[in-house]
Amino acid sequence: MRALLLAAALLLARSIAVLGTTLYVSSYSGTITTLSFTERHGRYALSRSASNTECAPNPSWLTTDANRGELFCLNEGLTAPNGSISSYTIGLDGSLRHVQNTTTISGPVNGVIYGNPSGRRALALAHYTGSAVSSWTLDGDNGRFNFSQRFDFTLPHPGPNPERQDAPHAHEAILDPTGKYILVPDLGADLLRVFGWAEDTLKLTELDPLEATVGSGPRHAVFWNPYGVACEACTTYMYVVAELASTVTGYAVSYKSNGGGLSFNKVFVSSTYGALKQPEGNAPAEVHISPDNRFLVISNRNASSFVLPVDTNSTNNFPQPAYADEGNTTLPKTYPSDSLSTFRFNAADGSLTFVQLAPSGGIWPRQFSINALGNLVAVGLQYDNATVILERDASTGLIGEMVAKVGIEGNVTSVVFGEEKGLGGRLTG
């Protein structure tokens, strides 16, 4: 039976690839680029199908709502006093229709939608340079939104890393598995800020935070339910990736009564390189759980742990990085690559077992996404100005070869798959 199910999944994966998968990529050049990924007879193609600049000048993050056919783009505003949000509706063909652009506090770098999935919703934003969290109510499913509230944070003095911890730096906003709480890793303050929200107004209330290891710089986090069931009484863990310490830390999570917040008990800590020697200066960034709920994947930057050969005979016809010396147009034989770390979850105690360190396909994988079937990984290579597609074995969790690549104008900041909309999500016509 398992073999039949696996064969059916592989057949579905192949059929989807042939029909085409849409991806959306943001970059600091000011663009959102729509990509089309196809595979036919073993040949892969990743091409740009559209581009828009309504989220300019510095798009930093893309948040999608598959059920409502909406996409929200955050503009970090690197050289401006403010940032902004741009909203889009997603057409049946994956096209984006711009709806609204509104100014925000400076430095929005991440956002999450919360509320009732079939009712009233809001968007919570983490502001890195703005040292703040803001919330915005969403108006139905038409892409409209309105400002709701803001929380501003300060530090009494710089942290152990004064260059990076000169002020609070909210880096992400995520939901707990029940959807009742929003957590915000703060790299500058070494905190994971916790917020509850009111069902009637969607207003946020700040609760007791989790204090991370001093100087660790928490950047991103994920929750994990070992048995795939989310409830306050269910076994729940959270894993925090710390950029400055280059660690992943696991916490057992329990729920306080009457919506009073969350309690945390540290159960695991490791280098993001697992059993391998960690290079000096490694700076982990993104973290995701595989769709089958069995593996944790982390991106590592600033280490270049791999040297990849330039494939001049590639049948996939994607460009190779040309790290040639200035004035030298000769294509080099190799190019550097950072990495993706894979760990396997242990349900008994929440610990992680190191599985693999794989090439990310280039340098500075700021963000990546795993498709719904778990057989593809799209990686945004910030300083390569490119997006790559890596094969992944969903059964073993092992990440394999790069099968497609496309250049993107400017530093890539995020890439998200759009194929979930084609698998049952609501789309706009």
Side-chain angles (χ1 to χ4, degrees):
M1 177 63 72
R2 182 174 181 178
L4 289 174
L5 290 175
L6 179 59
L10 291 174
L11 180 61
L12 177 60
R14 177 170 293 276
S15 66
I16 289 173
V18 170
L19 291 173
T21 295
T22 299
L23 301 96
Y24 304 102
V25 181
S26 61
S27 85
Y28 277 154
S29 69
T31 61
I32 300 176
T33 302
T34 303
L35 302 179
S36 175
F37 174 71
T38 57
E39 181 273 339
R40 186 177 296 277
H41 305 307
R43 293 179 63 89
Y44 296 88
L46 184 63
S47 58
R48 288 171 287 191
S49 57
S51 181
N52 70 77
T53 58
E54 287 92 353
C55 193
N58 307 121
S60 60
W61 187 260
L62 301 174
T63 294
T64 60
D65 187 331
N67 292 323
R68 303 292 187 105
E70 294 174 316
L71 181 146
F72 298 89
C73 175
L74 308 185
N75 158 44
E76 193 170 350
L78 294 176
T79 59
N82 298 99
S84 63
I85 312 173
S86 287
S87 61
Y88 302 80
T89 56
I90 304 173
L92 291 170
D93 58 355
S95 60
L96 298 179
R97 182 180 69 85
H98 184 246
V99 177
Q100 181 178 342
N101 180 279
T102 298
T103 298
T104 71
I105 307 166
S106 68
V109 293
N110 196 282
V112 67
I113 295 171
Y114 67 96
N116 185 337
S118 60
R120 298 186 65 239
R121 303 162 301 139
L123 180 66
L125 305 186
H127 298 263
Y128 185 85
T129 56
S131 300
V133 166
S134 68
S135 67
W136 304 74
T137 55
L138 304 182
D139 183 10
D141 57 0
N142 59 15
R144 296 287 177 183
F145 56 92
N146 296 283
F147 174 73
S148 177
Q149 59 186 149
R150 62 184 286 176
F151 297 82
D152 297 291
F153 309 115
T154 60
L155 280 181
H157 53 76
N161 186 330
E163 183 178 352
R164 296 295 309 280
Q165 297 185 306
D166 58 322
H169 291 305
H171 219 305
E172 185 185 36
I174 65 171
L175 286 177
D176 82 296
T178 70
K180 295 179 180 179
Y181 297 99
I182 296 168
L183 281 83
V184 178
D186 190 324
L187 185 147
D190 288 323
L191 296 173
L192 275 90
R193 303 184 186 275
V194 180
F195 297 85
W197 53 273
E199 293 187 9
D200 54 346
T201 65
L202 301 179
K203 294 285 187 180
L204 301 179
T205 299
E206 190 172 7
L207 304 170
D208 293 337
L210 165 63
E211 296 183 3
T213 301
V214 175
S216 63
R219 179 185 173 99
H220 281 196
V222 292
F223 282 90
W224 179 60
N225 293 112
Y227 308 106
V229 179
C231 67
E232 292 194 3
C234 298
T235 301
T236 304
Y237 295 98
M238 182 179 70
Y239 298 86
V240 179
V241 169
E243 178 179 343
L244 303 184
S246 190
T247 57
V248 54
T249 302
Y251 298 88
V253 181
S254 57
Y255 287 78
K256 298 178 181 179
S257 60
N258 301 318
L262 304 172
S263 297
F264 304 91
N265 179 40
K266 186 186 297 185
V267 297
F268 177 84
V269 64
S270 167
S271 156
T272 59
Y273 267 60
L276 303 179
K277 182 179 180 180
Q278 178 177 286
E280 184 177 354
N282 183 59
E286 182 65 291
V287 58
H288 281 299
I289 293 175
S290 61
D292 63 5
N293 204 40
R294 297 167 55 218
F295 299 96
L296 184 81
V297 185
I298 301 169
S299 67
N300 297 294
R301 306 168 299 166
N302 199 44
S304 299
S305 295
F306 293 91
V307 176
L308 303 180
V310 172
D311 185 5
T312 57
N313 297 314
S314 171
T315 60
N316 293 316
N317 194 31
F318 53 77
Q320 303 283 354
Y323 291 95
D325 296 333
E326 187 174 354
N328 181 5
T329 58
T330 302
L331 187 71
K333 295 182 179 180
T334 61
Y335 63 96
S337 174
D338 282 316
S339 63
L340 300 177
S341 299
T342 297
F343 294 83
R344 183 172 53 250
F345 291 112
N346 298 311
D349 58 7
S351 63
L352 300 173
T353 299
F354 181 69
V355 173
Q356 181 196 35
L357 187 76
S360 60
I363 59 172
W364 214 259
R366 171 172 171 148
Q367 192 270 347
F368 68 92
S369 295
I370 304 173
N371 71 332
L373 294 172
N375 66 327
L376 298 172
V377 182
V379 185
L381 301 171
Q382 182 171 349
Y383 294 155
D384 270 349
N385 297 359
T387 295
V388 300
I389 304 294
L390 308 176
E391 286 187 316
R392 179 179 179 274
D393 188 319
S395 62
T396 65
L398 297 179
I399 295 172
E401 298 295 320
M402 175 170 63
V403 297
K405 179 174 184 175
V406 67
I408 301 292
E409 182 183 355
N411 296 159
V412 174
T413 54
S414 69
V415 53
V416 295
F417 281 96
E419 95 282 8
E420 289 88 349
K421 285 95 183 157
L423 294 174
R426 183 185 185 279
L427 293 174
T428 58

